[in-house]
Amino acid sequence: TWTRESIHKNYIAYITINFLAAFFTGGWPTQFSTQIPNTIWIGLLGIWIALSISTGTRFSCGFIELHQKNPQLNKYLHATSYAMTIFGITTIAAGQYKWVMPLLQSYTMVLISFLMIISIYHSFKNDQKSKFFIFAFSFFYLGVVGRYLRNIAFIEPNFWNENIYQLGAFVYMLVMSIGIFAN
């Protein structure tokens, strides 16, 4: 294997799933195939969003080394994220996309807030990984929250919240790639 470091594998899984979510959010698959119904594309978007919950938790907790700092909290976050991912995928597969997506997106916003609070707490203890995490993820999390707030009709659609997810993801991936592979 080309790397034995789990953080690299978790990062690749995380950015791949988020790339697919961004790809489907932008409606790009419909450009390649018009024979497949939109409900299939939307269902796949939901699956990528559901998968991003568990892969995001796995990568984020691993990056800030939460398993060393608070093993019990680390286990709880992983268990709830896997449960939400499985619940999301099965509910979407059952054709309940419109019902489950606001729940998954709301859970994600709470999880994002919680991970940022944990990182802020540890950054005050002079933890360098937590400080870097806050810097890198701030771009992406702002994009995710902005897009989700637009999706649940909390804010009106405009150019910025239509594209903030992709812009945030681009900046985040650039910053995080430099940080991960520079270590």
Side-chain angles (χ1 to χ4, degrees), residues 48-87:
W48 300 131
I49 290 171
L51 283 169
S52 73
I53 294 171
S54 56
T55 57
T57 301
R58 187 168 176 83
F59 172 70
S60 299
C61 290
F63 185 81
I64 61 174
E65 299 173 339
L66 190 60
H67 60 282
Q68 294 173 354
K69 297 169 184 159
N70 192 330
Q72 200 70 4
L73 179 59
N74 185 60
K75 286 180 186 176
Y76 174 77
L77 287 175
H78 279 83
T80 56
S81 73
Y82 290 133
M84 287 301 288
T85 295
I86 292 167
F87 172 72

Short mmCIF file of all heavy atoms in Angstrom, two decimals, residues 48-87:
data_model
loop_
_atom_site.label_atom_id
_atom_site.label_comp_id
_atom_site.label_asym_id
_atom_site.label_seq_id
_atom_site.Cartn_x
_atom_site.Cartn_y
_atom_site.Cartn_z
N TRP A 48 -24.53 10.50 -0.99
CA TRP A 48 -23.22 11.13 -0.78
C TRP A 48 -23.26 12.02 0.45
O TRP A 48 -22.31 12.05 1.24
CB TRP A 48 -22.76 11.93 -2.00
CG TRP A 48 -22.63 11.11 -3.25
CD1 TRP A 48 -23.14 11.41 -4.48
CD2 TRP A 48 -21.96 9.86 -3.41
NE1 TRP A 48 -22.84 10.42 -5.37
CE2 TRP A 48 -22.11 9.45 -4.75
CE3 TRP A 48 -21.25 9.03 -2.54
CZ2 TRP A 48 -21.58 8.27 -5.24
CZ3 TRP A 48 -20.73 7.84 -3.03
CH2 TRP A 48 -20.88 7.48 -4.37
N ILE A 49 -24.35 12.76 0.63
CA ILE A 49 -24.46 13.63 1.81
C ILE A 49 -24.50 12.78 3.08
O ILE A 49 -23.83 13.10 4.08
CB ILE A 49 -25.70 14.55 1.69
CG1 ILE A 49 -25.44 15.59 0.59
CG2 ILE A 49 -26.01 15.22 3.02
CD1 ILE A 49 -26.65 16.43 0.22
N ALA A 50 -25.25 11.68 3.06
CA ALA A 50 -25.32 10.79 4.23
C ALA A 50 -23.93 10.19 4.52
O ALA A 50 -23.51 10.13 5.69
CB ALA A 50 -26.34 9.69 4.00
N LEU A 51 -23.23 9.77 3.49
CA LEU A 51 -21.89 9.20 3.68
C LEU A 51 -20.89 10.24 4.20
O LEU A 51 -19.95 9.91 4.92
CB LEU A 51 -21.37 8.59 2.39
CG LEU A 51 -21.93 7.23 2.02
CD1 LEU A 51 -21.55 6.86 0.60
CD2 LEU A 51 -21.47 6.17 3.01
N SER A 52 -21.11 11.50 3.84
CA SER A 52 -20.18 12.54 4.30
C SER A 52 -20.24 12.72 5.81
O SER A 52 -19.28 13.18 6.42
CB SER A 52 -20.45 13.87 3.59
OG SER A 52 -21.64 14.47 4.06
N ILE A 53 -21.34 12.33 6.43
CA ILE A 53 -21.45 12.45 7.88
C ILE A 53 -20.44 11.54 8.57
O ILE A 53 -19.67 11.98 9.42
CB ILE A 53 -22.90 12.15 8.35
CG1 ILE A 53 -23.85 13.22 7.84
CG2 ILE A 53 -22.96 12.04 9.87
CD1 ILE A 53 -25.32 12.92 8.06
N SER A 54 -20.43 10.27 8.20
CA SER A 54 -19.51 9.34 8.87
C SER A 54 -18.06 9.54 8.43
O SER A 54 -17.15 9.49 9.26
CB SER A 54 -19.94 7.89 8.66
OG SER A 54 -20.05 7.59 7.29
N THR A 55 -17.85 9.79 7.14
CA THR A 55 -16.45 10.00 6.71
C THR A 55 -15.91 11.32 7.26
O THR A 55 -14.73 11.40 7.61
CB THR A 55 -16.31 9.98 5.18
OG1 THR A 55 -17.16 10.96 4.61
CG2 THR A 55 -16.59 8.61 4.61
N GLY A 56 -16.77 12.33 7.37
CA GLY A 56 -16.34 13.61 7.93
C GLY A 56 -16.00 13.48 9.40
O GLY A 56 -15.01 14.05 9.88
N THR A 57 -16.80 12.73 10.12
CA THR A 57 -16.53 12.51 11.55
C THR A 57 -15.24 11.72 11.72
O THR A 57 -14.40 12.07 12.56
CB THR A 57 -17.70 11.77 12.21
OG1 THR A 57 -18.89 12.56 12.05
CG2 THR A 57 -17.44 11.52 13.68
N ARG A 58 -15.10 10.69 10.93
CA ARG A 58 -13.88 9.85 11.02
C ARG A 58 -12.63 10.68 10.74
O ARG A 58 -11.65 10.62 11.48
CB ARG A 58 -13.99 8.68 10.07
CG ARG A 58 -12.88 7.68 10.19
CD ARG A 58 -13.23 6.41 9.42
NE ARG A 58 -12.15 5.48 9.45
CZ ARG A 58 -11.91 4.63 10.44
NH1 ARG A 58 -12.70 4.61 11.49
NH2 ARG A 58 -10.89 3.80 10.39
N PHE A 59 -12.66 11.46 9.66
CA PHE A 59 -11.49 12.26 9.33
C PHE A 59 -11.25 13.36 10.36
O PHE A 59 -10.12 13.54 10.84
CB PHE A 59 -11.62 12.89 7.93
CG PHE A 59 -10.52 13.86 7.65
CD1 PHE A 59 -9.22 13.41 7.46
CD2 PHE A 59 -10.76 15.21 7.65
CE1 PHE A 59 -8.18 14.30 7.25
CE2 PHE A 59 -9.74 16.11 7.42
CZ PHE A 59 -8.44 15.66 7.23
N SER A 60 -12.29 14.09 10.72
CA SER A 60 -12.13 15.22 11.64
C SER A 60 -11.63 14.78 13.00
O SER A 60 -10.69 15.37 13.54
CB SER A 60 -13.46 15.97 11.79
OG SER A 60 -13.89 16.49 10.57
N CYS A 61 -12.27 13.76 13.56
CA CYS A 61 -11.83 13.26 14.87
C CYS A 61 -10.42 12.70 14.81
O CYS A 61 -9.63 12.89 15.75
CB CYS A 61 -12.80 12.21 15.39
SG CYS A 61 -14.41 12.86 15.87
N GLY A 62 -10.08 12.03 13.72
CA GLY A 62 -8.73 11.52 13.55
C GLY A 62 -7.71 12.63 13.42
O GLY A 62 -6.62 12.56 13.99
N PHE A 63 -8.06 13.67 12.66
CA PHE A 63 -7.11 14.76 12.45
C PHE A 63 -6.80 15.50 13.75
O PHE A 63 -5.64 15.80 14.03
CB PHE A 63 -7.64 15.75 11.42
CG PHE A 63 -6.65 16.82 11.08
CD1 PHE A 63 -5.63 16.57 10.18
CD2 PHE A 63 -6.70 18.06 11.70
CE1 PHE A 63 -4.68 17.54 9.89
CE2 PHE A 63 -5.76 19.04 11.40
CZ PHE A 63 -4.75 18.78 10.50
N ILE A 64 -7.83 15.78 14.56
CA ILE A 64 -7.57 16.49 15.81
C ILE A 64 -7.19 15.54 16.95
O ILE A 64 -6.99 15.96 18.08
CB ILE A 64 -8.76 17.38 16.25
CG1 ILE A 64 -10.02 16.56 16.49
CG2 ILE A 64 -8.98 18.49 15.24
CD1 ILE A 64 -11.18 17.36 17.07
N GLU A 65 -7.07 14.24 16.61
CA GLU A 65 -6.65 13.19 17.54
C GLU A 65 -7.55 13.12 18.77
O GLU A 65 -7.09 13.03 19.91
CB GLU A 65 -5.18 13.38 17.92
CG GLU A 65 -4.27 13.28 16.72
CD GLU A 65 -2.82 13.62 17.00
OE1 GLU A 65 -2.53 14.30 18.01
OE2 GLU A 65 -1.97 13.18 16.19
N LEU A 66 -8.85 13.17 18.52
CA LEU A 66 -9.82 13.14 19.62
C LEU A 66 -9.77 11.81 20.38
O LEU A 66 -10.04 11.78 21.58
CB LEU A 66 -11.24 13.40 19.08
CG LEU A 66 -12.32 13.64 20.12
CD1 LEU A 66 -12.00 14.86 20.99
CD2 LEU A 66 -13.67 13.81 19.46
N HIS A 67 -9.39 10.73 19.70
CA HIS A 67 -9.29 9.43 20.37
C HIS A 67 -8.29 9.46 21.52
O HIS A 67 -8.42 8.70 22.47
CB HIS A 67 -8.94 8.34 19.36
CG HIS A 67 -7.63 8.55 18.67
ND1 HIS A 67 -7.48 9.46 17.63
CD2 HIS A 67 -6.42 7.99 18.87
CE1 HIS A 67 -6.23 9.44 17.23
NE2 HIS A 67 -5.57 8.56 17.96
N GLN A 68 -7.28 10.33 21.44
CA GLN A 68 -6.31 10.47 22.52
C GLN A 68 -6.77 11.48 23.58
O GLN A 68 -6.50 11.30 24.76
CB GLN A 68 -4.96 10.92 21.97
CG GLN A 68 -4.30 9.91 21.08
CD GLN A 68 -3.05 10.46 20.40
OE1 GLN A 68 -2.72 11.63 20.51
NE2 GLN A 68 -2.35 9.57 19.69
N LYS A 69 -7.46 12.50 23.15
CA LYS A 69 -7.86 13.58 24.05
C LYS A 69 -9.12 13.23 24.85
O LYS A 69 -9.25 13.62 26.00
CB LYS A 69 -8.10 14.87 23.25
CG LYS A 69 -6.85 15.36 22.58
CD LYS A 69 -7.15 16.47 21.60
CE LYS A 69 -5.87 16.86 20.88
NZ LYS A 69 -6.11 17.52 19.65
N ASN A 70 -10.06 12.56 24.21
CA ASN A 70 -11.31 12.19 24.86
C ASN A 70 -11.88 10.95 24.17
O ASN A 70 -12.76 11.06 23.31
CB ASN A 70 -12.30 13.36 24.81
CG ASN A 70 -13.50 13.15 25.71
OD1 ASN A 70 -13.92 12.03 25.95
ND2 ASN A 70 -14.06 14.25 26.19
N PRO A 71 -11.38 9.77 24.56
CA PRO A 71 -11.80 8.53 23.88
C PRO A 71 -13.31 8.28 23.93
O PRO A 71 -13.89 7.80 22.96
CB PRO A 71 -11.05 7.43 24.61
CG PRO A 71 -9.98 8.10 25.39
CD PRO A 71 -10.39 9.52 25.59
N GLN A 72 -13.94 8.61 25.05
CA GLN A 72 -15.38 8.37 25.19
C GLN A 72 -16.17 9.23 24.21
O GLN A 72 -17.08 8.76 23.54
CB GLN A 72 -15.81 8.66 26.64
CG GLN A 72 -17.09 8.04 27.03
CD GLN A 72 -16.98 6.52 27.14
OE1 GLN A 72 -15.93 5.90 26.99
NE2 GLN A 72 -18.10 5.89 27.38
N LEU A 73 -15.83 10.51 24.12
CA LEU A 73 -16.49 11.42 23.18
C LEU A 73 -16.23 10.98 21.74
O LEU A 73 -17.13 11.01 20.90
CB LEU A 73 -16.01 12.86 23.39
CG LEU A 73 -16.61 13.92 22.47
CD1 LEU A 73 -18.12 13.97 22.61
CD2 LEU A 73 -15.98 15.27 22.77
N ASN A 74 -15.02 10.55 21.47
CA ASN A 74 -14.66 10.05 20.14
C ASN A 74 -15.56 8.87 19.75
O ASN A 74 -16.11 8.85 18.64
CB ASN A 74 -13.19 9.64 20.12
CG ASN A 74 -12.71 9.25 18.75
OD1 ASN A 74 -12.74 10.03 17.81
ND2 ASN A 74 -12.26 8.00 18.64
N LYS A 75 -15.74 7.92 20.64
CA LYS A 75 -16.60 6.76 20.37
C LYS A 75 -18.05 7.20 20.16
O LYS A 75 -18.73 6.69 19.26
CB LYS A 75 -16.53 5.76 21.52
CG LYS A 75 -15.25 4.97 21.56
CD LYS A 75 -15.25 4.00 22.73
CE LYS A 75 -13.90 3.33 22.85
NZ LYS A 75 -13.82 2.45 24.02
N TYR A 76 -18.53 8.12 20.97
CA TYR A 76 -19.90 8.60 20.85
C TYR A 76 -20.12 9.28 19.50
O TYR A 76 -21.12 9.01 18.82
CB TYR A 76 -20.23 9.56 22.00
CG TYR A 76 -21.59 10.20 21.84
CD1 TYR A 76 -22.74 9.49 22.13
CD2 TYR A 76 -21.71 11.50 21.37
CE1 TYR A 76 -23.99 10.06 21.96
CE2 TYR A 76 -22.95 12.08 21.20
CZ TYR A 76 -24.09 11.36 21.50
OH TYR A 76 -25.32 11.93 21.32
N LEU A 77 -19.21 10.17 19.10
CA LEU A 77 -19.34 10.87 17.82
C LEU A 77 -19.33 9.89 16.65
O LEU A 77 -20.10 10.03 15.70
CB LEU A 77 -18.26 11.92 17.66
CG LEU A 77 -18.40 13.17 18.51
CD1 LEU A 77 -17.19 14.08 18.33
CD2 LEU A 77 -19.68 13.91 18.18
N HIS A 78 -18.45 8.90 16.72
CA HIS A 78 -18.40 7.90 15.64
C HIS A 78 -19.68 7.07 15.60
O HIS A 78 -20.24 6.85 14.51
CB HIS A 78 -17.18 6.99 15.80
CG HIS A 78 -15.92 7.58 15.29
ND1 HIS A 78 -15.16 8.46 16.02
CD2 HIS A 78 -15.29 7.44 14.10
CE1 HIS A 78 -14.12 8.83 15.31
NE2 HIS A 78 -14.17 8.23 14.13
N ALA A 79 -20.16 6.63 16.75
CA ALA A 79 -21.37 5.81 16.79
C ALA A 79 -22.58 6.58 16.25
O ALA A 79 -23.34 6.05 15.44
CB ALA A 79 -21.65 5.33 18.22
N THR A 80 -22.74 7.83 16.66
CA THR A 80 -23.89 8.60 16.18
C THR A 80 -23.76 8.93 14.70
O THR A 80 -24.75 8.91 13.97
CB THR A 80 -24.10 9.89 16.99
OG1 THR A 80 -22.91 10.68 16.96
CG2 THR A 80 -24.49 9.59 18.43
N SER A 81 -22.54 9.20 14.24
CA SER A 81 -22.38 9.51 12.81
C SER A 81 -22.64 8.29 11.94
O SER A 81 -23.26 8.40 10.88
CB SER A 81 -21.00 10.10 12.53
OG SER A 81 -19.99 9.11 12.59
N TYR A 82 -22.19 7.12 12.38
CA TYR A 82 -22.48 5.90 11.61
C TYR A 82 -23.98 5.61 11.61
O TYR A 82 -24.54 5.21 10.59
CB TYR A 82 -21.70 4.70 12.15
CG TYR A 82 -20.21 4.79 11.89
CD1 TYR A 82 -19.30 4.52 12.90
CD2 TYR A 82 -19.72 5.16 10.65
CE1 TYR A 82 -17.93 4.61 12.67
CE2 TYR A 82 -18.36 5.25 10.41
CZ TYR A 82 -17.47 4.98 11.43
OH TYR A 82 -16.14 5.07 11.19
N ALA A 83 -24.63 5.81 12.76
CA ALA A 83 -26.07 5.60 12.84
C ALA A 83 -26.82 6.55 11.90
O ALA A 83 -27.74 6.14 11.19
CB ALA A 83 -26.55 5.77 14.28
N MET A 84 -26.42 7.82 11.88
CA MET A 84 -27.07 8.79 11.00
C MET A 84 -26.82 8.46 9.53
O MET A 84 -27.71 8.62 8.70
CB MET A 84 -26.60 10.21 11.31
CG MET A 84 -27.17 10.77 12.60
SD MET A 84 -28.97 10.85 12.64
CE MET A 84 -29.29 12.18 11.50
N THR A 85 -25.61 8.01 9.21
CA THR A 85 -25.30 7.63 7.83
C THR A 85 -26.17 6.45 7.39
O THR A 85 -26.78 6.50 6.31
CB THR A 85 -23.81 7.29 7.67
OG1 THR A 85 -23.04 8.48 7.91
CG2 THR A 85 -23.49 6.77 6.28
N ILE A 86 -26.23 5.42 8.20
CA ILE A 86 -27.04 4.24 7.86
C ILE A 86 -28.52 4.62 7.77
O ILE A 86 -29.21 4.23 6.83
CB ILE A 86 -26.80 3.11 8.88
CG1 ILE A 86 -25.36 2.58 8.72
CG2 ILE A 86 -27.82 1.99 8.72
CD1 ILE A 86 -24.90 1.70 9.86
N PHE A 87 -28.99 5.38 8.74
CA PHE A 87 -30.38 5.84 8.73
C PHE A 87 -30.66 6.65 7.46
O PHE A 87 -31.68 6.45 6.80
CB PHE A 87 -30.66 6.67 9.98
CG PHE A 87 -31.99 7.35 9.98
CD1 PHE A 87 -33.16 6.62 10.14
CD2 PHE A 87 -32.09 8.72 9.81
CE1 PHE A 87 -34.40 7.24 10.14
CE2 PHE A 87 -33.31 9.36 9.81
CZ PHE A 87 -34.48 8.62 9.97
#
